[in-house]
């Protein structure tokens, strides 16, 4: 039996992470993978990093995980940059080293021998941190995707992209129930590839403030994307107590 929880973009939101992990256990997942951006923006980088590390699951590197170790001049807005500088001051050398050693992409093999890919942004330029927003963007990913299923994050917006061998399309029909009910499930079609964004645990940006994550059940050939309520107020209080930019607290309750 293999039922893998797929979590992404935790962004140091410990309240969201612990609520999601509680839900992962309630959903009786047997495995877990993390798609990066463990740190950045929110107030608990060390706690979230330690939590993920103790889960001993496959983790790939996100742009915030890279930026905190290797600061660059570009690519980050001022609010993210301020949070990043604060985050860097919170992490000790062993934690920074753990982040530095993360791979950009991985093939995950389940205990029943099935494989799928994980990456933070995309398989065609995993180190360039490009944003896969629409089917046209996704069409560049699929030639580099050698497994039927690949899961990614980075935009903080859940999406399902499908490749029929010739064209990439966005699968709105299977995503739509997530916005109606906070839950969707579907069976991937044979002879199609899927590139699925599981949304963000710690800073959703699709106007639904609840944490979001995915599940891939290889026994049932079933993909689930679902929302989880968490204590947003407590996460906001921690951001303000740490003197991080207030916008980071405001955006959590709006899901932006
Ligand atoms: Zn992110």
């Amino acid at each position: 039996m293999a039922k893998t929880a797929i979590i992404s973009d935790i962004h140091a939101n410990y309240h969201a992470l612990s609520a999601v992990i509680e839900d992962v256990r309630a959903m009786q997942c047997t495995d877990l993978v993390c798609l990066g951006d463990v740190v950045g923006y929110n107030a608990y980088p060390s706690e979230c990093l330690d939590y993920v590390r103790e889960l001993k699951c496959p983790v790939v590197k996100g742009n915030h995980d890279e930026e905190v170790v290797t600061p660059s001049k570009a690519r980050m807005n001022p609010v993210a940059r301020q949070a990043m500088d604060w985050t860097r001051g919170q992490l000790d050398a062993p934690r920074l080293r753990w982040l530095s050693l993360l791979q950009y992409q991985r093939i995950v093999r389940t205990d029943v021998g099935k494989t799928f890919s994980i990456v933070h942004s995309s398989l065609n330029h995993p180190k360039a941190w490009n944003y896969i927003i629409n089917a046209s963007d996704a069409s560049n990913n699929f030639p580099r995707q050698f497994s039927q299923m690949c899961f990614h994050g980075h935009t903080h917006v859940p999406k399902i992209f499908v490749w029929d061998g010739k064209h990439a399309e966005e699968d709105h029909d299977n995503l739509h129930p997530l916005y109606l009910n906070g839950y969707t499930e579907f069976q991937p079609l044979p002879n199609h590839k899927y590139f699925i964004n599981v949304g963000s645990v710690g800073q959703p940006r699709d106007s639904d403030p609840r944490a979001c994550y995915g599940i891939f059940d290889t026994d049932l050939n079933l993909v689930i994307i679902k929302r989880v309520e968490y204590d947003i107020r407590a996460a906001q209080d921690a951001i303000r107590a740490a003197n991080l930019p207030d916008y980071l607290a405001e955006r959590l309750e709006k899901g932006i």
Side-chain angles (χ1 to χ4, degrees):
M1 175 175 169
K3 190 173 178 184
T4 306
I6 301 150
I7 61 175
S8 190
D9 296 276
I10 297 162
H11 282 298
N13 187 335
Y14 189 81
H15 296 89
L17 175 61
S18 45
V20 164
I21 296 299
E22 200 175 308
D23 197 77
V24 164
R25 293 192 175 122
M27 293 294 287
Q28 301 184 309
C29 293
T30 56
D31 299 283
L32 187 105
V33 297
C34 174
L35 311 185
D37 274 4
V38 177
V39 301
Y41 293 126
N42 295 303
Y44 294 100
S46 296
E47 293 84 349
C48 288
L49 189 154
D50 292 352
Y51 198 148
V52 170
R53 191 164 51 174
E54 281 159 22
L55 291 166
K56 300 196 188 323
C57 62
V59 184
V60 287
K61 187 183 289 188
N63 53 312
H64 286 248
D65 306 324
E66 179 170 85
E67 184 72 24
V68 77
V69 177
T70 316
S72 67
K73 288 272 184 288
R75 293 201 300 252
M76 235 163 226
N77 68 58
V79 169
R81 169 80 46 203
Q82 192 180 333
M84 182 53 62
D85 292 342
W86 178 86
T87 300
R88 197 172 294 115
Q90 301 294 309
L91 297 172
D92 60 14
R95 291 187 175 102
L96 289 169
R97 181 172 157 74
W98 183 83
L99 288 171
S100 75
L101 294 175
L102 295 174
Q103 298 171 42
Y104 289 91
Q105 57 183 292
R106 290 182 67 155
I107 300 283
V108 179
R109 185 177 295 275
T110 69
D111 61 358
V112 290
K114 294 188 178 167
T115 59
F116 59 91
S117 309
I118 58 173
V119 67
H120 185 66
S121 60
S122 77
L123 293 168
N124 51 317
H125 289 300
K127 299 181 185 178
W129 311 118
N130 49 324
Y131 290 89
I132 306 299
I133 300 197
N134 51 41
S136 166
D137 302 330
S139 66
N140 298 318
N141 172 81
F142 284 111
R144 306 287 300 178
Q145 182 178 324
F146 303 112
S147 52
Q148 190 202 4
M149 309 296 293
C150 179
F151 297 93
H152 70 122
H154 194 39
T155 65
H156 301 203
V157 176
K159 296 251 177 175
I160 304 165
F161 298 108
V162 194
W163 176 257
D164 64 3
K166 287 184 180 154
H167 305 101
E169 273 186 20
E170 238 182 288
D171 184 345
H172 297 287
D173 291 347
N174 279 322
L175 190 65
H176 191 55
L178 181 69
Y179 290 101
L180 291 177
N181 312 315
Y183 180 95
T184 187
E185 63 174 48
F186 68 97
Q187 292 196 296
L189 299 168
N191 304 316
H192 290 64
K193 287 183 190 174
Y194 287 80
F195 188 48
I196 297 173
N197 191 319
V198 295
S200 169
V201 170
Q203 195 192 74
R205 295 181 191 159
D206 58 350
S207 304
D208 184 338
R210 292 174 294 176
C212 192
Y213 80 102
I215 296 173
F216 182 35
D217 186 326
T218 45
D219 291 348
L220 301 177
N221 185 36
L222 192 70
V223 173
I224 294 169
I225 306 174
K226 65 177 304 201
R227 312 305 295 222
V228 179
E229 303 261 7
Y230 77 97
D231 191 345
I232 293 173
R233 177 61 67 87
Q236 292 176 309
D237 288 348
I239 288 168
R240 290 177 174 130
N243 285 320
L244 285 160
D246 202 65
Y247 174 66
L248 294 175
E250 289 166 26
R251 70 187 302 175
L252 285 185
E253 71 186 55
K254 294 179 184 156
I256 56 172

